[in-house]
Amino acid sequence: MCIRDSQYHERVAYKINYQRNDEPLEDSKKQIKTAIPVNGLVDNELLNRINVLIKDGNLDGAISLIREETRGNINDPIIAGRYFNLLQLRKMNPELIEYGRNYIQLLSKINQKDKLCEVYLLCKSIDENFINNDASCLYITAKMLNEKNNHLEAKQAFERFIAIDENHAMVPNAQFFIAKILNEKLNEPLKAVDIINGLIKKHPFHENTAYIQSYLRQIKT
């Protein structure tokens, strides 16, 4: 099914390198190779083929092309973004949720914090249990949410992280992050004190215990 509407072009965010029929073959190849470089990762030939389908309104064709060419292993951030946006536009929510975790992992690797938070919040609005099956990914997401001032969402993500893997090595760090959010952002210092006291009691020899104790004294003063 083809969808022909210019608003979709803008939301998917594409750019096409046009080739005139009279252009020499070597020139056209050079044009493709130099299109939209991002960290040297962009597959420009594939990207242009995707963009042509989007311009023609063939969103389903663009989705199919990405799947066929990448076989589900999308390492290029621009193509990954196209694919995620296309799934969203076509309201393919199960596929969106399934791909969302991979996309978040890619965004984490390239330190795209704003986009990562946007993707997480969108997917979570569709599925409350989004990435509950990947504790490490959830922890990284919680940290980035906190860094980008989504403090309540960060707190909830840290809490979900602890709930799904209470033995994870980063649980003490997550508990301390929750305490800091409660104390500094949500004006609940007493809850923060309770969490930190419990943290110190359970992990007295943690590498950050001295710092945590110092922070606790600051809350009490």
PDB file of all heavy atoms in Angstrom, residues 3 13 23 37 44 66 80 83 91 98 101 121 134 160 181 201 210 214:
ATOM      1  N   ILE A   3       1.296   5.400   0.437  1.00  0.00           N
ATOM      2  CA  ILE A   3       0.674   6.561   1.050  1.00  0.00           C
ATOM      3  C   ILE A   3       1.328   7.786   0.449  1.00  0.00           C
ATOM      4  O   ILE A   3       2.535   7.958   0.553  1.00  0.00           O
ATOM      5  CB  ILE A   3       0.851   6.557   2.568  1.00  0.00           C
ATOM      6  CG1 ILE A   3       0.150   5.328   3.141  1.00  0.00           C
ATOM      7  CG2 ILE A   3       0.305   7.818   3.183  1.00  0.00           C
ATOM      8  CD1 ILE A   3       0.266   5.228   4.633  1.00  0.00           C
ATOM      9  N   ALA A  13      11.884  12.430   7.380  1.00  0.00           N
ATOM     10  CA  ALA A  13      13.118  13.218   7.264  1.00  0.00           C
ATOM     11  C   ALA A  13      14.098  12.587   6.295  1.00  0.00           C
ATOM     12  O   ALA A  13      14.988  11.868   6.665  1.00  0.00           O
ATOM     13  CB  ALA A  13      13.775  13.394   8.626  1.00  0.00           C
ATOM     14  N   GLU A  23      23.875  12.260 -16.790  1.00  0.00           N
ATOM     15  CA  GLU A  23      25.070  12.288 -15.964  1.00  0.00           C
ATOM     16  C   GLU A  23      25.937  11.074 -16.246  1.00  0.00           C
ATOM     17  O   GLU A  23      25.440   9.962 -16.379  1.00  0.00           O
ATOM     18  CB  GLU A  23      24.699  12.286 -14.473  1.00  0.00           C
ATOM     19  CG  GLU A  23      24.205  13.632 -13.971  1.00  0.00           C
ATOM     20  CD  GLU A  23      23.893  13.569 -12.502  1.00  0.00           C
ATOM     21  OE1 GLU A  23      23.569  12.482 -12.014  1.00  0.00           O
ATOM     22  OE2 GLU A  23      23.974  14.610 -11.830  1.00  0.00           O
ATOM     23  N   PRO A  37      27.210  12.155   4.843  1.00  0.00           N
ATOM     24  CA  PRO A  37      28.086  11.332   5.679  1.00  0.00           C
ATOM     25  C   PRO A  37      27.846  11.582   7.159  1.00  0.00           C
ATOM     26  O   PRO A  37      27.739  12.716   7.597  1.00  0.00           O
ATOM     27  CB  PRO A  37      29.488  11.802   5.274  1.00  0.00           C
ATOM     28  CG  PRO A  37      29.295  13.203   4.821  1.00  0.00           C
ATOM     29  CD  PRO A  37      27.919  13.279   4.212  1.00  0.00           C
ATOM     30  N   ASN A  44      25.091   5.186   1.717  1.00  0.00           N
ATOM     31  CA  ASN A  44      24.404   6.220   0.953  1.00  0.00           C
ATOM     32  C   ASN A  44      23.564   5.666  -0.187  1.00  0.00           C
ATOM     33  O   ASN A  44      22.509   6.200  -0.509  1.00  0.00           O
ATOM     34  CB  ASN A  44      25.430   7.217   0.414  1.00  0.00           C
ATOM     35  CG  ASN A  44      26.082   8.000   1.528  1.00  0.00           C
ATOM     36  OD1 ASN A  44      25.421   8.754   2.216  1.00  0.00           O
ATOM     37  ND2 ASN A  44      27.368   7.797   1.713  1.00  0.00           N
ATOM     38  N   ILE A  66      14.446  -1.844   3.679  1.00  0.00           N
ATOM     39  CA  ILE A  66      15.357  -1.811   4.828  1.00  0.00           C
ATOM     40  C   ILE A  66      15.510  -3.199   5.425  1.00  0.00           C
ATOM     41  O   ILE A  66      16.627  -3.648   5.737  1.00  0.00           O
ATOM     42  CB  ILE A  66      14.855  -0.812   5.892  1.00  0.00           C
ATOM     43  CG1 ILE A  66      14.917   0.617   5.346  1.00  0.00           C
ATOM     44  CG2 ILE A  66      15.688  -0.924   7.173  1.00  0.00           C
ATOM     45  CD1 ILE A  66      14.229   1.646   6.227  1.00  0.00           C
ATOM     46  N   ALA A  80      18.559   3.660  10.627  1.00  0.00           N
ATOM     47  CA  ALA A  80      17.824   3.212  11.814  1.00  0.00           C
ATOM     48  C   ALA A  80      16.709   4.190  12.157  1.00  0.00           C
ATOM     49  O   ALA A  80      15.581   3.791  12.479  1.00  0.00           O
ATOM     50  CB  ALA A  80      18.776   3.062  12.988  1.00  0.00           C
ATOM     51  N   TYR A  83      13.879   3.870   9.646  1.00  0.00           N
ATOM     52  CA  TYR A  83      13.089   2.660   9.892  1.00  0.00           C
ATOM     53  C   TYR A  83      12.150   2.865  11.075  1.00  0.00           C
ATOM     54  O   TYR A  83      10.958   2.529  11.003  1.00  0.00           O
ATOM     55  CB  TYR A  83      14.023   1.489  10.152  1.00  0.00           C
ATOM     56  CG  TYR A  83      13.320   0.153  10.299  1.00  0.00           C
ATOM     57  CD1 TYR A  83      12.528  -0.351   9.284  1.00  0.00           C
ATOM     58  CD2 TYR A  83      13.471  -0.601  11.454  1.00  0.00           C
ATOM     59  CE1 TYR A  83      11.885  -1.575   9.408  1.00  0.00           C
ATOM     60  CE2 TYR A  83      12.832  -1.830  11.596  1.00  0.00           C
ATOM     61  CZ  TYR A  83      12.039  -2.314  10.572  1.00  0.00           C
ATOM     62  OH  TYR A  83      11.408  -3.527  10.700  1.00  0.00           O
ATOM     63  N   LYS A  91       1.982   2.906  11.990  1.00  0.00           N
ATOM     64  CA  LYS A  91       1.302   2.406  13.201  1.00  0.00           C
ATOM     65  C   LYS A  91       1.531   0.906  13.401  1.00  0.00           C
ATOM     66  O   LYS A  91       0.627   0.163  13.797  1.00  0.00           O
ATOM     67  CB  LYS A  91      -0.193   2.727  13.152  1.00  0.00           C
ATOM     68  CG  LYS A  91      -0.497   4.217  13.025  1.00  0.00           C
ATOM     69  CD  LYS A  91      -1.969   4.502  13.138  1.00  0.00           C
ATOM     70  CE  LYS A  91      -2.273   5.981  12.859  1.00  0.00           C
ATOM     71  NZ  LYS A  91      -1.552   6.886  13.757  1.00  0.00           N
ATOM     72  N   GLU A  98       9.406  -3.942  19.218  1.00  0.00           N
ATOM     73  CA  GLU A  98      10.465  -4.932  19.046  1.00  0.00           C
ATOM     74  C   GLU A  98      11.766  -4.281  18.593  1.00  0.00           C
ATOM     75  O   GLU A  98      12.855  -4.618  19.091  1.00  0.00           O
ATOM     76  CB  GLU A  98      10.032  -5.994  18.027  1.00  0.00           C
ATOM     77  CG  GLU A  98      11.069  -7.084  17.813  1.00  0.00           C
ATOM     78  CD  GLU A  98      10.616  -8.124  16.807  1.00  0.00           C
ATOM     79  OE1 GLU A  98       9.456  -8.055  16.330  1.00  0.00           O
ATOM     80  OE2 GLU A  98      11.421  -9.019  16.492  1.00  0.00           O
ATOM     81  N   ARG A 101      14.183  -1.442  21.233  1.00  0.00           N
ATOM     82  CA  ARG A 101      15.316  -1.763  22.097  1.00  0.00           C
ATOM     83  C   ARG A 101      16.625  -1.687  21.312  1.00  0.00           C
ATOM     84  O   ARG A 101      17.616  -1.113  21.786  1.00  0.00           O
ATOM     85  CB  ARG A 101      15.159  -3.153  22.710  1.00  0.00           C
ATOM     86  CG  ARG A 101      16.264  -3.483  23.707  1.00  0.00           C
ATOM     87  CD  ARG A 101      16.119  -4.873  24.277  1.00  0.00           C
ATOM     88  NE  ARG A 101      16.468  -5.886  23.287  1.00  0.00           N
ATOM     89  CZ  ARG A 101      16.603  -7.180  23.565  1.00  0.00           C
ATOM     90  NH1 ARG A 101      16.371  -7.625  24.786  1.00  0.00           N
ATOM     91  NH2 ARG A 101      16.936  -8.040  22.618  1.00  0.00           N
ATOM     92  N   LEU A 121      10.415   7.137  25.613  1.00  0.00           N
ATOM     93  CA  LEU A 121       9.119   7.628  26.095  1.00  0.00           C
ATOM     94  C   LEU A 121       7.996   7.272  25.130  1.00  0.00           C
ATOM     95  O   LEU A 121       6.878   6.956  25.554  1.00  0.00           O
ATOM     96  CB  LEU A 121       9.184   9.141  26.322  1.00  0.00           C
ATOM     97  CG  LEU A 121      10.124   9.583  27.460  1.00  0.00           C
ATOM     98  CD1 LEU A 121      10.235  11.109  27.494  1.00  0.00           C
ATOM     99  CD2 LEU A 121       9.642   9.056  28.799  1.00  0.00           C
ATOM    100  N   ASP A 134      15.529  -6.403  29.371  1.00  0.00           N
ATOM    101  CA  ASP A 134      16.941  -6.069  29.183  1.00  0.00           C
ATOM    102  C   ASP A 134      17.356  -5.077  30.265  1.00  0.00           C
ATOM    103  O   ASP A 134      17.259  -3.863  30.093  1.00  0.00           O
ATOM    104  CB  ASP A 134      17.171  -5.479  27.794  1.00  0.00           C
ATOM    105  CG  ASP A 134      18.649  -5.345  27.453  1.00  0.00           C
ATOM    106  OD1 ASP A 134      19.458  -5.205  28.370  1.00  0.00           O
ATOM    107  OD2 ASP A 134      18.978  -5.367  26.246  1.00  0.00           O
ATOM    108  N   ARG A 160      12.247   0.097  37.970  1.00  0.00           N
ATOM    109  CA  ARG A 160      11.958  -1.075  37.141  1.00  0.00           C
ATOM    110  C   ARG A 160      13.214  -1.923  36.948  1.00  0.00           C
ATOM    111  O   ARG A 160      13.160  -3.160  36.977  1.00  0.00           O
ATOM    112  CB  ARG A 160      11.412  -0.633  35.780  1.00  0.00           C
ATOM    113  CG  ARG A 160       9.998  -0.055  35.841  1.00  0.00           C
ATOM    114  CD  ARG A 160       9.622   0.598  34.525  1.00  0.00           C
ATOM    115  NE  ARG A 160       9.676  -0.328  33.411  1.00  0.00           N
ATOM    116  CZ  ARG A 160       9.948   0.016  32.160  1.00  0.00           C
ATOM    117  NH1 ARG A 160      10.236   1.275  31.871  1.00  0.00           N
ATOM    118  NH2 ARG A 160       9.963  -0.889  31.209  1.00  0.00           N
ATOM    119  N   ILE A 181      17.525  11.739  43.205  1.00  0.00           N
ATOM    120  CA  ILE A 181      16.359  12.326  42.532  1.00  0.00           C
ATOM    121  C   ILE A 181      15.316  12.737  43.564  1.00  0.00           C
ATOM    122  O   ILE A 181      14.740  13.836  43.493  1.00  0.00           O
ATOM    123  CB  ILE A 181      15.767  11.340  41.515  1.00  0.00           C
ATOM    124  CG1 ILE A 181      16.739  11.139  40.339  1.00  0.00           C
ATOM    125  CG2 ILE A 181      14.417  11.835  40.998  1.00  0.00           C
ATOM    126  CD1 ILE A 181      16.359  10.011  39.417  1.00  0.00           C
ATOM    127  N   LYS A 201      23.742  -0.147  54.610  1.00  0.00           N
ATOM    128  CA  LYS A 201      23.634  -1.360  55.433  1.00  0.00           C
ATOM    129  C   LYS A 201      23.831  -2.621  54.606  1.00  0.00           C
ATOM    130  O   LYS A 201      24.505  -3.562  55.034  1.00  0.00           O
ATOM    131  CB  LYS A 201      22.272  -1.388  56.121  1.00  0.00           C
ATOM    132  CG  LYS A 201      22.072  -2.575  57.062  1.00  0.00           C
ATOM    133  CD  LYS A 201      20.726  -2.500  57.762  1.00  0.00           C
ATOM    134  CE  LYS A 201      20.551  -3.681  58.711  1.00  0.00           C
ATOM    135  NZ  LYS A 201      19.232  -3.610  59.405  1.00  0.00           N
ATOM    136  N   ALA A 210      32.021   5.633  50.735  1.00  0.00           N
ATOM    137  CA  ALA A 210      32.493   6.862  51.377  1.00  0.00           C
ATOM    138  C   ALA A 210      31.771   8.084  50.806  1.00  0.00           C
ATOM    139  O   ALA A 210      31.346   8.979  51.556  1.00  0.00           O
ATOM    140  CB  ALA A 210      34.001   7.004  51.208  1.00  0.00           C
ATOM    141  N   SER A 214      29.070  10.578  52.728  1.00  0.00           N
ATOM    142  CA  SER A 214      29.253  12.027  52.710  1.00  0.00           C
ATOM    143  C   SER A 214      27.981  12.723  52.202  1.00  0.00           C
ATOM    144  O   SER A 214      27.565  13.754  52.757  1.00  0.00           O
ATOM    145  CB  SER A 214      30.443  12.391  51.819  1.00  0.00           C
ATOM    146  OG  SER A 214      30.564  13.790  51.686  1.00  0.00           O
TER     147      SER A 214
END
